Amino acid sequence: MATSDTRVTIEGRTLKLTSLDRVIYPETGTTKADVLAYYAAVAEAMLPHVRHRPATRKRWVDGVGTLEKPGQVFFQKNLDASTPEWVERVEIQHSDHVNTYPLVNEAATLAWLAQISSLEIHVPQWRVGRAGKPKRPDRLVLDLDPGPGVGLPECAEVARLARSILKDIGLDPLPVTSGSKGIHLYSALDGTQTSDQISAVAHELARALEADHPDLVVSDMKKSKREGRVLVDWSQNSGAKTTVAPYSLRGRSRPMVAAPRTWRELDSPTLAHLDHQEVVRRVAKRGDLLVPLEAAYTDDDEEDDRLATYRSMRDARRTPEPVPESVPPPSDERRFVIQEHHARRLHYDVRLERDGVLVSWAVPKGPPDDPAVNRLAVPTEDHPIEYLDFEGTIPAGEYGAGDMTIWDAGTYELEKWRDGEEVIATLHGRRGSHRYALIRTGERAPAGVAGPGRAQWIMHLMDEGPARRPAAEPRLERRSGRRVLGGSGRGAGAAGGGAGGGSGPSSSTASLAPMLATAGSVADIAEPEQWAFEMKWDGIRALAHLDCGSLALRSRNGIDLTPAYPELAVLADLIDESVRDAGPVVLDGEIVALDESGRPDFGLLQRRMGLTKPREIAAMVSAVPVRVMLFDVLLAGGEDAAGLDYAARRELLAALVTDQSPVHVPPAFDGDLDDALTTSRELDLEGVMAKRRDSLYRAGRRSSAWIKLKHVRAQSVVVGGWRPGSGRRADGIGSLLVGVPQGRGLAYAGKVGSGFSERELDRLRDRLRALETSRSPFTDIPSVDARDAVWLRPELVGEVAFTEWTGTGRLRHPVWRGWRDDVDPAAIERE
């Protein structure tokens, strides 16, 4: 396979493959090209075991990493907007939400998953039918998971014991070494029982094994009971659970596979997990060892005929309407027709092709032509595909008697389809292109309307105008070879700025606060081409205010940073003179300290933070110089730039500022998201900032139009107490107790004891003494952590690095990074 970006066609599907030489498994040097080649080689064997099953994915975009530094993994259920249109999908209703899952029904979909580094594919034990509804489970699975002190040999022994019981109840299990730790046993079912019933059978089997072999088997999930024993995990038969699919790669240090095995292999003393190369050779030689399961996957209990209702209401001998005997297989086409129907009452029938039929609604007053006016829409029975071009007269006495003509027809682009709830689509027809939403209201249709008694929907014309802009949008003009704002005749506008006299920022600009990003993952970046990507700088956020030749730097919580960083005063001289003289300028950026290799070092920057004495500051300017990385503009010459979109603001910023140390305007990354993340990691930066190209600057607001993607997770926390240490720290601070604001107190996030130097801990005691109080600021701190604690008023903010949030809301493996005097405690949110 090629090792550069390429475009391929797989069974008629076109797919762009990128970064093929990226190493996914560093320990073995296995690249993305190798991963793609593996899934192509096993597709024929693997697809029967994942087809028509909603797929949950685990993605390692930057590779699995190493044991010492694992790669970041994204657990993804929902599809995003960048998913190729041809990927089959299904919407599954959960207790309080709906998820859209891919169906891995063809080799091209498998390749697409590999392209986006979805190494692991997890599926339930049930499939969806043609209408997208979950069917009863067609296989039972037992996950044999070794606890501490046991391994594959013990799992194989339990597998043989379980096989004996399963055979007694008429099931013949097939083994799969999981590629992680244990063994999976699959048994084919006849589809007559529910997931709850199968779970009960599996649970009882696990209990029986535990009762007969208490020293070897445990059926309880509690980790405390698993030492030296094998857990028989029966819970994966629940309708809500998934299991890693047979033939799926695993996100381990090496490219291991959930590999089908023979019972003879399980008897071998050298039994071991298999990697991808071994599995490819086995499939080529032996084929699929799980073929016996495929009999359970056949559709001997096919869905109810979706045209049964339509046929029951029509007599093919008396009506010119098409009355086919069966539903054709679903196609990839998305066609629509709107028919003007002069029946007992004039109405319009809106029909969208889906799953081999035309899903239909009767709209009495016709499709709306004004976004302010909604139209009643009543769902009717599914119609045959042949109705796409039907026109004619339905005879009197027949259902729907009257003249029917085609009012509009064409194709549609689908945005959302939630069966029985909501459809959003853009219809491209003879009458132009229009974006509609069909939404169920939950009410009943009025009597006399086609389909009486059916649930009532509305048909809504979505607002099709361009994104709103301020009424008098600033424009860019040329002056002296530079671009500046001009011609709008407005003041500071949305950004709240304006010209002001005196030194420092005017009062109208001093109140400005920076726009804030939300923490996210790659899965949140729908339609990557609509986003720009910048490197994320690990420093202190600052707004630079220039007014009447004077510069002021303010932190995100309004603290004046100007005296602390005197070397940045040169910024005033690097702004386009004509713009600077026209009125206030406000720029957004990050103050950073660079290490010897030129990379931002937040720990180094800590040496500059909090200094107030001029002599100390002057000494540190040469010892730890800082720079400012500018990335946005709010005001330019008194004109509002916040109302411009991202692309226009970036162009304006580049024209306004001369890039000259210590002032820099790093360019937005020219490439795709994968490449941006790779570049950021190679440069050892904190991560990537993703910004929508059409986003405005929302001063002082947190917005999902900006998303921060971090390689190392970090969290701002409020310090609410400390606990004494032991050993060398016995007379001082051992750990800080930290939390995140919630309601009237702090939600406890855990204790942080690493990342401090002894010198820092000595100075820390003096800093915290003035904040000591008798009351705990935490709402939920456990008594074990509250014991011997010294409580503090929640006024100080720090930052910690950590691996993940636990299920109880605690930081796992937190490490102190430093103080954040620039952050207001009340503004902190859990990321």
Side-chain angles (χ1 to χ4, degrees):
M1 181 173 289
T3 57
S4 59
D5 294 359
T6 186
R7 192 173 294 273
V8 297
T9 299
I10 304 171
E11 297 178 351
R13 310 296 194 191
T14 300
L15 180 65
K16 181 183 179 182
L17 305 179
T18 62
S19 305
L20 293 176
D21 52 359
R22 176 178 299 152
V23 175
I24 303 297
Y25 294 88
E27 186 172 316
T28 58
T30 305
T31 65
K32 182 191 284 190
D34 297 324
V35 170
L36 281 156
Y38 167 74
Y39 275 121
V42 302
E44 184 176 353
M46 181 177 184
L47 286 175
H49 308 295
V50 294
R51 186 173 283 127
H52 300 309
R53 300 181 193 272
T56 299
R57 293 87 65 208
K58 291 178 74 173
R59 299 175 60 187
W60 284 264
V61 175
D62 298 313
V64 300
T66 62
L67 289 174
E68 294 75 21
K69 191 176 181 180
Q72 189 172 8
V73 59
F74 304 97
F75 195 75
Q76 189 171 5
K77 295 184 177 181
N78 260 324
L79 287 176
D80 53 41
S82 63
T83 304
E85 183 177 331
W86 44 259
V87 171
E88 293 187 59
R89 60 203 73 193
V90 65
E91 292 186 340
I92 300 296
Q93 176 70 56
H94 297 279
S95 58
D96 59 352
H97 65 283
V98 173
N99 283 338
T100 303
Y101 296 85
L103 297 175
V104 190
N105 290 353
E106 54 188 4
T109 302
L110 200 54
W112 168 69
L113 291 173
Q115 156 60 24
I116 62 173
S117 299
S118 294
L119 301 181
E120 290 192 9
I121 301 169
H122 295 245
V123 293
Q125 315 319 322
W126 48 268
R127 294 173 300 142
V128 295
R130 180 172 293 176
K133 303 300 181 184
K135 303 173 74 170
R136 292 186 171 186
D138 49 29
R139 63 193 189 193
L140 177 149
V141 65
L142 294 177
D143 180 6
L144 310 182
D145 189 8
V150 294
L152 267 185
E154 289 78 12
C155 288
E157 184 178 352
V158 175
R160 289 187 288 269
L161 295 171
R163 183 190 190 192
S164 177
I165 297 177
L166 287 166
K167 280 197 165 187
D168 286 343
I169 62 175
L171 301 179
D172 190 5
L174 298 172
V176 173
T177 47
S178 70
S180 176
K181 292 188 294 182
I183 293 174
H184 297 158
L185 295 181
Y186 286 95
S187 299
L189 301 175
D190 61 10
T192 60
Q193 294 180 293
T194 66
S195 293
D196 288 344
Q197 290 172 319
I198 297 304
S199 289
V201 171
H203 195 181
E204 189 57 37
L205 187 152
R207 286 172 176 162
L209 285 169
E210 182 180 28
D212 291 342
H213 308 277
D215 295 332
L216 178 61
V217 177
V218 62
S219 64
D220 195 312
M221 303 292 176
K222 293 186 180 68
K223 290 186 177 180
S224 60
K225 298 184 177 183
R226 296 174 57 184
E227 180 83 31
R229 296 193 286 179
V230 174
L231 169 67
V232 178
D233 184 356
W234 50 269
S235 68
Q236 295 186 37
N237 296 284
S238 164
K241 293 291 189 71
T242 61
T243 307
V244 67
Y247 298 103
S248 172
L249 284 166
R250 304 307 302 265
R252 313 289 290 180
S253 59
R254 299 173 63 84
M256 310 309 287
V257 173
R261 310 299 289 266
T262 65
W263 283 105
R264 177 176 294 181
E265 287 180 291
L266 260 62
D267 293 335
S268 171
T270 60
L271 177 68
H273 293 287
L274 302 178
D275 68 19
H276 69 305
Q277 293 176 329
E278 293 171 304
V279 172
V280 168
R281 290 193 293 268
R282 288 166 61 91
V283 169
K285 182 178 180 180
R286 304 185 182 189
D288 178 22
L289 296 178
L290 299 182
V291 166
L293 288 178
E294 295 186 30
Y297 306 155
T298 58
D299 287 327
D300 52 3
D301 57 339
E302 278 293 343
E303 303 291 312
D304 290 339
D305 183 356
R306 292 189 62 174
L307 292 180
T309 301
Y310 173 89
R311 274 194 294 269
S312 70
M313 302 165 73
R314 291 162 176 83
D315 187 339
R317 298 168 298 178
R318 297 184 180 183
T319 178
E321 298 169 275
V323 187
E325 294 184 358
S326 62
V327 176
S331 73
D332 295 329
E333 294 189 80
R334 288 179 176 163
R335 295 171 288 181
F336 82 92
V337 65
I338 301 176
Q339 284 146 332
E340 184 176 331
H341 193 174
H342 293 265
R344 184 173 51 149
R345 292 184 182 182
L346 171 64
H347 64 273
Y348 294 78
D349 293 308
V350 177
R351 313 189 196 281
L352 305 181
E353 180 177 8
R354 187 170 176 84
D355 294 329
V357 298
L358 297 176
V359 181
S360 302
W361 293 262
V363 184
K365 295 185 178 181
D369 55 9
D370 183 346
V373 178
N374 294 327
R375 294 283 170 81
L376 172 68
V378 182
T380 62
E381 71 279 6
D382 294 334
H383 280 54
I385 290 295
E386 291 83 352
Y387 234 88
L388 282 167
D389 54 10
F390 174 72
E391 291 184 302
T393 299
I394 301 173
E398 295 302 305
Y399 177 76
D403 293 332
M404 181 177 287
T405 58
I406 292 178
W407 184 80
D408 198 6
T411 61
Y412 70 93
E413 293 180 62
L414 182 63
E415 288 184 44
K416 181 185 290 187
W417 191 298
R418 294 174 55 203
D419 281 322
E421 298 293 336
E422 180 183 16
V423 176
I424 299 177
T426 300
L427 276 55
H428 302 290
R430 305 168 186 171
R431 296 174 179 266
S433 297
H434 303 283
R435 185 166 171 251
Y436 292 109
L438 285 149
I439 305 169
R440 180 181 177 180
T441 64
E443 302 170 7
R444 301 307 250 177
V449 176
R454 291 180 181 268
Q456 180 177 320
W457 292 48
I458 60 169
M459 188 174 186
H460 170 71
L461 177 66
M462 308 286 278
D463 185 0
E464 298 173 312
R468 290 193 303 121
R469 290 286 184 268
E473 181 178 294
R475 67 178 185 270
L476 291 169
E477 294 181 343
R478 279 282 177 193
R479 288 190 194 166
S480 305
R482 289 179 173 269
R483 285 188 180 272
V484 297
L485 280 172
S488 72
R490 298 186 298 125
S503 62
S506 65
S507 59
S508 58
T509 69
S511 61
L512 286 176
M515 179 172 171
L516 302 178
T518 59
S521 67
V522 173
D524 298 314
I525 309 301
E527 299 179 330
E529 66 278 3
Q530 301 299 322
W531 296 74
F533 306 108
E534 301 174 2
M535 298 296 105
K536 190 175 189 311
W537 307 103
D538 195 5
I540 300 172
R541 187 79 173 277
L543 290 185
H545 303 252
L546 291 100
D547 197 2
C548 298
S550 178
L551 170 70
L553 298 170
R554 293 194 179 277
S555 70
R556 56 182 280 188
N557 59 345
I559 296 175
D560 185 7
L561 302 174
T562 315
Y565 304 102
E567 63 265 51
L568 299 182
V570 68
L571 173 60
D573 299 324
L574 299 177
I575 302 297
D576 182 272
E577 185 177 354
S578 61
V579 179
R580 190 178 61 210
D581 293 345
V585 175
V586 180
L587 307 175
D588 193 355
E590 193 92 357
I591 298 173
V592 300
L594 305 182
D595 63 16
E596 295 180 354
S597 61
R599 294 177 171 86
D601 186 332
F602 188 72
L604 192 61
L605 184 62
Q606 289 278 303
R607 298 174 61 187
R608 292 292 302 269
M609 295 172 63
L611 299 180
T612 56
K613 297 178 181 179
R615 291 183 61 182
E616 291 180 344
I617 293 172
M620 293 304 294
V621 165
S622 57
V624 184
V626 300
R627 306 182 185 216
V628 62
M629 305 294 186
L630 298 173
F631 49 75
D632 221 316
V633 53
L634 288 72
L635 287 174
E639 300 285 358
D640 172 32
L644 297 173
D645 63 25
Y646 168 85
R649 296 197 313 276
R650 288 291 306 195
E651 182 182 5
L652 174 61
L653 178 65
L656 279 175
V657 182
T658 299
D659 192 313
Q660 179 178 308
S661 185
V663 176
H664 301 284
V665 183
F669 188 81
D670 185 16
D672 63 19
L673 176 55
D674 285 355
D675 288 339
L677 288 166
T678 298
T679 299
S680 174
R681 190 180 291 281
E682 289 173 348
L683 294 176
D684 201 21
L685 299 180
E686 187 183 14
V688 168
M689 289 294 302
K691 300 181 179 181
R692 284 197 63 88
R693 295 183 182 276
D694 60 357
S695 62
L696 309 185
Y697 192 100
R698 304 297 189 186
R701 292 173 57 185
R702 190 176 299 277
S703 172
S704 59
W706 287 11
I707 296 178
K708 48 189 171 185
L709 308 170
K710 294 183 178 181
H711 300 310
V712 177
R713 303 186 70 177
Q715 171 72 46
S716 293
V717 291
V718 180
V719 179
W722 61 272
R723 292 186 61 191
S726 58
R728 293 173 59 188
R729 297 187 184 181
D731 297 327
I733 294 174
S735 60
L736 297 181
L737 305 176
V738 300
V740 177
Q742 183 181 74
R744 296 185 178 182
L746 297 178
Y748 183 59
K751 56 182 184 291
V752 187
S754 60
F756 302 97
S757 67
E758 296 300 323
R759 182 181 178 186
E760 285 175 312
L761 288 172
D762 291 340
R763 291 184 302 190
L764 191 56
R765 182 69 180 270
D766 294 333
R767 183 173 190 180
L768 299 183
R769 185 172 289 115
L771 297 176
E772 290 181 6
T773 181
S774 60
R775 295 185 60 185
S776 167
F778 298 103
T779 59
D780 59 346
I781 187 168
S783 58
V784 66
D785 286 353
R787 187 179 64 249
D788 68 13
V790 178
W791 304 121
L792 304 172
R793 296 194 303 274
E795 299 176 8
L796 295 180
V797 176
E799 184 171 289
V800 296
F802 67 108
T803 56
E804 63 179 345
W805 288 99
T806 69
T808 57
R810 308 289 188 257
L811 297 161
R812 191 184 299 281
H813 308 310
V815 177
W816 185 257
R817 297 192 72 217
W819 294 103
R820 296 305 307 244
D821 297 330
D822 58 319
V823 178
D824 187 340
I828 292 174
E829 296 180 355
R830 170 172 161 172
E831 297 193 1

